[in-house]
Every structure is written in C-alpha cells, then in structure tokens.
Amino acid sequence: MAAPYDYEDGPQHLASAAAYDPNYVPDSVKTFVSHLYRYIRDKNVYEIHQMYETSFQTLSDRHFKDTPWPSVDAVAPYVDNDHVFCLLYREMWFRHLYARLSPTLRQRIDSWDNYCSLFQVVLHGVVNMQLPNQWLWDMVDEFVYQFQSFCQYRAKMKTKTEQEIALLRQFDQAWNVYGVLNFLQALVEKSTIIQILEQDKEGLEQFTATDGYDYNGGSNVLKVLGYFSMVGLLRVHCLLGDYHTGLKCLLPIDISQPGVYTCVIGSHITTIYHYGFANLMLRRYVEAIREFNKMLLYIYKTKQYHQKSAQYEQILKKNEQMYALLAISLSLCPQLSLVEETVNSQLREKYGEKMLRMQRYDDESDALYDELFSYACPKFITPSAPSYEEPLVNYNQEAYRLQLKLFLHEVKQQQLLSGVRTFLKVYSTISLGKLATYMEVDEPTLRTILMTFKHKTHAVGSDGKVISNADIDFYIDDDMIQVVESKTAKRYGDYFLRQIVKLEGVMTDLDRVKLE
C-alpha cells in the first residue's frame, strides 16, 4: 500500500493557526514527500494515486486542518531539490490553502506564477512522468476555479485596501483571461489531443482503451492535460457566457460514449453539467434533458462508492443543481419521455410542485424560474480589470444579472407560446380562422405567433443542422393547420428491471422467515 509509515508525530507537533511555522516539517511529511518523489520517479501510478488521494488528505486532516502545509523551501531538501516535483508540491500546497483557508492577494498571484511555471515545463520541457488522471484533472479544475475565484475577488472593490489596489495594478497580468485561455488552448494544441482522438476513433490509437496512460514507458502528462483542458475551456467559456464557443471546444470529445473524461467522477460531472447548461442557454432543450438524465441516473447508481471521497459534497451539490436545471428544461420543453423513471421520481419529489407552478406562466412562475436558475447556474465572471478610481464599486454580480436577464427574457417568450401549444395538443386539424378566434387575435397575428412557435421550438445544433425541441409539430396547408404529434416508443425494460429487483427483495425476505 502507499502509506506503510506512521502518520503520528505526537500531539505536541500538531500545527495550530496561531503557531504556524512554514519551515517546520513533521516526520510524516518528510516521509510523505520522499515516498511520493520516489514513486513519481519510478512511474508507479498506483502508489502515486494512493498517496495523492488518501495520504495527502489524511495528513491534511491530522496536521494542517487550519494551516498551510510546510513551505516548498522546507521540503525541497527531502526531494533532491527537484524543480518539477517542487512545482507539483506547490500546486497541491495552494489547492490545500484554497480549500481550507482564505488566500491573500499575494498568495493568489503566487499561485498564478506557479501554474505558469508548471505549464511552461509541461509545454516546453521534457516531462518524463506518469501521473494519475485524478491529479491531472484536479490541476485543470483548480486552475479554472482559481481564475474564477480571482475574478470574483477582484470585482469586490469596495473592501480593497490601498495596498491591495497597488498590487492589482502592479500584477495586472495575473489571472488575465487571455493568459488562462492561452494556457488551456496551448495544452490542447501541443498535446495534439484532437488528432489523437480522431485516430482513436479509427482504431489507430489506444488513448481511450488505456485511459490515457502510456504503457510503453512514455508520459501521459501532456496528452491528458490537453484532453482535460478541452473541458476546462468549456467551463471558462460558460463562465464568460459564450456557450457556443464552449461547446465548440468540447466537440473532439464524443460525450455519447464513455471516455477518459468518465474515468474521474469530478471530470464526468463537470463536463455534463456545463455541456447541459450551455445547451439549455442555447435553447437545445432536448439535448440538455438527455444528458442531465444520463448523468443523474449515473450519480444515483454510483454515489455510494464516493462517500469517502474528498469530492463527495461537491458531487451531491452538482447533483442537486442538475435536478434544478432538468426541472427548468422540462418546464420549457415538456418531454418527460426522455427521462428515466428513477430520475423522474426523484425529480417529482424535489421539484414536482414547483414545476406545476412554473407552467402557469404568471409572476409566481417567473420568481420560480429566477430561484432555480440562480441556485443552479455557474458563478459567472466579469474578466476585465476594474476601474481603480474613486468611488470604488462592487461589480461581482453584474455578469450573473446579465445572464439571468437573458434567461428570463427567453422564458417570457416561451410563455407567450403556451396557448398555442395547448390548442395544438387538442386538435389534429384546425383552420387558421378558427384558431385565431379561439386565441382572440387576427389571422396575420396568428401566422406570426405560429412562425415564432416554429422558431422557438427549433435550434441550431453543434454540427450546424437545425434540431427540433418540439413535442408537437404542425404544417399549414390551404389555411388548415395539420398537427403532427411525435410518438415515442414505449420502454418496458425499466419497468421489468424494477419488478425483478422487488421480487428478489421479497424472496430474500421470505428466505429469512423461519417456518414453525
């Protein structure tokens, strides 16, 4: 196992926030870094993963609950002052700091510098390492998170001191949006991951089959970082409100199939959450519903295996947010046939009553759309630098308010069409004049409404083709509206599987009964 040594250094050495000494290295940390260094040099991915996932968390809980880890200078002598290992250690050091404490502006800037140095080594140096996919995903995920966190922090100008403003002016390139996008794009291009995935589909590469690892003595670091950077680009563009570009960045990954992104639960959830949200904002409701449904079913079946994971709380939070987004999607595009029974029953339990009220299209429904969107949306950012002149103002909510305004505007437009949908569901054929009378409008206005209905129930897919979100369609022939209702094939498999499980439960109970 990865940790054959004792973590205990005695209670007298437990660090406290008041007496943190960055140069003091407990014996267990000396052992941890020297073992981790050796395993990285030996390319022992299994042991690296155990130490990264388990030992690091255990030591953090035991010694560094409310303090940072020892400084990189203090641990460097135990790892031969290895430059690349020290960059990796600092990456973990800053991640721990962000998770357990509140970083200062100087620390935020230092973390940016460390990522720049680390990615420069990966892009331009010779990296002869194999690292676990979990760690490589966490690097990209944390890089984007810290960028988002910095933008939110910088936008709260009212509480900034003169020293902080001076630092922000001096280090204006730190966490610059172009720098962040350029690093992620450079990792994608230098890794040639797009070409690798194309060859993978043709059977000329084994990238997916080997989960991105290199079993021929090479390195997986650049390739897998390039792969996860495509997910990182999707996330950044969603935070900026550029959903079309975000989905374009993800196109090389076929999300209809399992892939390297599904090997790490955090990557899997982040990919589908942002993919679904982007499709929701682009009115591709059917695609959003389909992917949210698949992801929620997967979490439902597997979440018990992640209960001891450090990411368990994050998994549960994203699970709840995706249920809220699914409730929004189904309220705007009522296609329950796309949702599995298990997910549907969970959805009814959580949002059944709210979804009924959301379809009434009144002020209360607007408030509910607002509530669910605000709870489930990403933390949008304004990437541009603020004005440092007086009076200083907070603008950290501006990007969110803009996206909320655009979303509610779309909801309003969908609400205007609810009457048409109601009538089209009742009739298989109806004349324009008759429908105009029912809707209390003249025929030219009705034609405009019907054209709008057509427009709002169709969207342009990622491949440029028009896709339909409509559960009901129609065409006009000689002033007669001919309605075509889509019929979905019934799925009996789920029902039988549930009944089989119930029967097995009953038989197990019967086996326990002792007959007199």
Side-chain angles (χ1 to χ4, degrees):
M1 291 298 289
Y5 48 88
D6 187 6
Y7 291 118
E8 294 292 355
D9 290 338
Q12 70 274 19
H13 294 311
L14 290 178
S16 68
Y20 169 65
D21 178 2
N23 296 315
Y24 172 68
V25 185
D27 289 342
S28 54
V29 174
K30 292 174 191 173
T31 317
F32 171 79
V33 293
S34 58
H35 277 66
L36 184 59
Y37 174 54
R38 192 180 80 223
Y39 290 139
I40 288 175
R41 289 188 62 181
D42 295 344
K43 294 185 180 175
N44 190 333
V45 177
Y46 175 78
E47 296 291 359
I48 298 167
H49 182 78
Q50 292 297 317
M51 296 197 73
Y52 174 79
E53 273 286 275
T54 309
S55 308
F56 184 71
Q57 293 300 329
T58 305
L59 286 169
S60 296
D61 290 338
R62 195 159 287 174
H63 296 292
F64 309 108
K65 241 181 181 166
D66 52 3
T67 64
W69 272 59
S71 69
V72 68
D73 294 332
V75 302
Y78 306 106
V79 294
D80 301 335
N81 291 294
D82 186 272
H83 177 59
V84 176
F85 183 88
C86 287
L87 291 173
L88 291 171
Y89 177 81
R90 284 197 91 202
E91 195 272 334
M92 293 166 70
W93 190 95
F94 282 115
R95 181 136 34 95
H96 169 79
L97 181 80
Y98 270 80
R100 305 287 179 113
L101 302 156
S102 184
T104 64
L105 175 55
R106 182 78 246 185
Q107 286 167 334
R108 291 172 188 271
I109 294 166
D110 288 346
S111 184
W112 163 255
D113 289 340
N114 189 67
Y115 272 117
C116 290
S117 302
L118 181 59
F119 289 155
Q120 291 288 2
V121 167
V122 172
L123 288 166
H124 306 297
V126 179
V127 179
N128 190 23
M129 295 185 297
Q130 289 252 45
L131 292 180
N133 287 339
Q134 178 71 58
W135 194 348
L136 295 170
W137 161 251
D138 286 344
M139 275 185 211
V140 174
D141 186 48
E142 185 72 12
F143 180 62
V144 176
Y145 165 71
Q146 289 189 21
F147 164 61
Q148 173 191 314
S149 174
F150 182 84
C151 291
Q152 294 281 356
Y153 163 85
R154 184 178 58 185
K156 296 173 184 173
M157 289 301 296
K158 278 187 177 178
T159 55
K160 296 285 177 286
T161 63
E162 287 182 17
Q163 291 88 341
E164 286 175 318
I165 291 171
L167 266 179
L168 284 169
R169 283 179 187 272
Q170 184 184 350
F171 296 98
D172 59 341
Q173 291 306 302
W175 297 110
N176 176 285
V177 63
Y178 296 114
V180 170
L181 289 170
N182 284 342
F183 267 127
L184 293 171
Q185 191 60 43
L187 287 165
V188 172
E189 289 174 8
K190 186 72 188 282
S191 66
T192 66
I193 189 63
I194 295 174
Q195 293 84 342
I196 288 169
L197 289 174
E198 283 173 1
Q199 291 179 322
D200 199 50
K201 285 178 189 171
E202 294 166 14
L204 303 173
E205 276 277 353
Q206 293 291 306
F207 181 78
T208 305
T210 61
D211 292 339
Y213 293 110
D214 191 318
Y215 292 108
N216 298 315
S219 171
N220 69 330
V221 173
L222 179 57
K223 281 191 294 188
V224 177
L225 278 178
Y227 181 91
F228 285 137
S229 289
M230 292 189 284
V231 180
L233 284 165
L234 165 67
R235 184 175 164 192
V236 171
H237 286 299
C238 279
L239 294 174
L240 299 172
D242 186 356
Y243 308 109
H244 182 76
T245 305
L247 291 175
K248 202 172 171 185
C249 291
L250 196 71
L251 269 179
I253 299 176
D254 182 2
I255 66 158
S256 68
Q257 300 293 327
V260 175
Y261 78 99
T262 59
C263 297
V264 180
I265 184 71
S267 154
H268 194 180
I269 291 174
T270 297
T271 303
I272 301 304
Y273 168 79
H274 288 94
Y275 178 84
F277 185 81
N279 276 296
L280 168 61
M281 295 300 279
L282 292 172
R283 294 205 329 271
R284 301 173 188 167
Y285 303 119
V286 167
E287 186 65 15
I289 292 166
R290 192 176 285 125
E291 291 306 321
F292 285 141
N293 169 63
K294 283 197 304 196
M295 189 71 243
L296 290 166
L297 189 64
Y298 177 80
I299 294 172
Y300 180 80
K301 289 177 177 177
T302 61
K303 65 183 176 186
Q304 69 267 27
Y305 304 121
H306 301 282
Q307 285 179 350
K308 292 182 181 177
S309 165
Q311 298 144 340
Y312 187 61
E313 284 184 19
Q314 191 63 20
I315 291 170
L316 294 183
K317 183 185 176 187
K318 278 283 172 276
N319 184 62
E320 293 303 312
Q321 286 180 313
M322 282 191 280
Y323 269 113
L325 293 174
L326 182 60
I328 289 172
S329 304
L330 286 168
S331 298
L332 294 171
C333 175
Q335 296 228 31
L336 271 172
S337 58
L338 298 171
V339 181
E340 297 281 346
E341 183 57 39
T342 308
V343 175
N344 191 23
S345 64
Q346 293 275 310
L347 183 67
R348 282 199 306 268
E349 197 178 300
K350 294 172 190 291
Y351 292 110
E353 188 191 337
K354 285 186 178 179
M355 285 174 72
L356 285 173
R357 283 151 57 197
M358 283 160 79
Q359 285 165 1
R360 289 180 193 154
Y361 303 124
D362 52 19
D363 290 342
E364 187 190 14
S365 76
D366 290 351
L368 287 169
Y369 275 109
D370 185 328
E371 177 195 323
L372 264 62
F373 182 87
S374 301
Y375 168 69
C377 70
K379 290 184 177 176
F380 299 108
I381 54 173
T382 303
S384 54
S387 166
Y388 298 117
E389 308 303 322
E390 297 283 353
L392 297 173
V393 293
N394 290 347
Y395 65 98
N396 54 304
Q397 293 290 313
E398 278 186 13
Y400 152 71
R401 288 196 193 105
L402 175 61
Q403 294 300 319
L404 176 64
K405 181 181 172 187
L406 292 169
F407 170 72
L408 291 177
H409 180 66
E410 181 61 41
V411 169
K412 276 283 184 202
Q413 292 185 326
Q414 294 282 351
Q415 287 171 351
L416 293 172
L417 304 172
S418 61
V420 184
R421 183 185 275 113
T422 305
F423 283 114
L424 293 179
K425 275 192 168 293
V426 175
Y427 292 94
S428 56
T429 57
I430 186 172
S431 68
L432 280 170
K434 193 173 181 181
L435 183 56
T437 305
Y438 286 154
M439 294 191 64
E440 299 176 355
V441 294
D442 55 28
E443 281 194 31
T445 304
L446 177 61
R447 284 181 182 273
T448 305
I449 292 170
L450 291 170
M451 286 295 288
T452 307
F453 183 84
K454 277 277 188 187
H455 168 64
K456 288 296 178 185
T457 54
H458 290 73
V460 179
S462 298
D463 55 1
K465 294 177 181 174
V466 175
I467 53 175
S468 172
N469 294 310
D471 56 338
I472 197 162
D473 207 356
F474 67 90
Y475 61 92
I476 299 174
D477 182 20
D478 285 339
D479 289 344
M480 288 295 290
I481 302 168
Q482 307 286 340
V483 180
V484 184
E485 189 163 3
S486 59
K487 290 214 168 24
T488 53
K490 289 185 178 179
R491 292 178 298 199
Y492 300 105
D494 284 349
Y495 177 82
F496 279 109
L497 284 170
R498 283 198 310 279
Q499 300 308 317
I500 289 167
V501 171
K502 278 184 184 175
L503 179 60
E504 284 177 348
V506 171
M507 288 169 71
T508 306
D509 291 341
L510 284 172
D511 286 341
R512 292 198 193 105
V513 176
K514 291 182 180 177
L515 296 171
E516 291 297 330

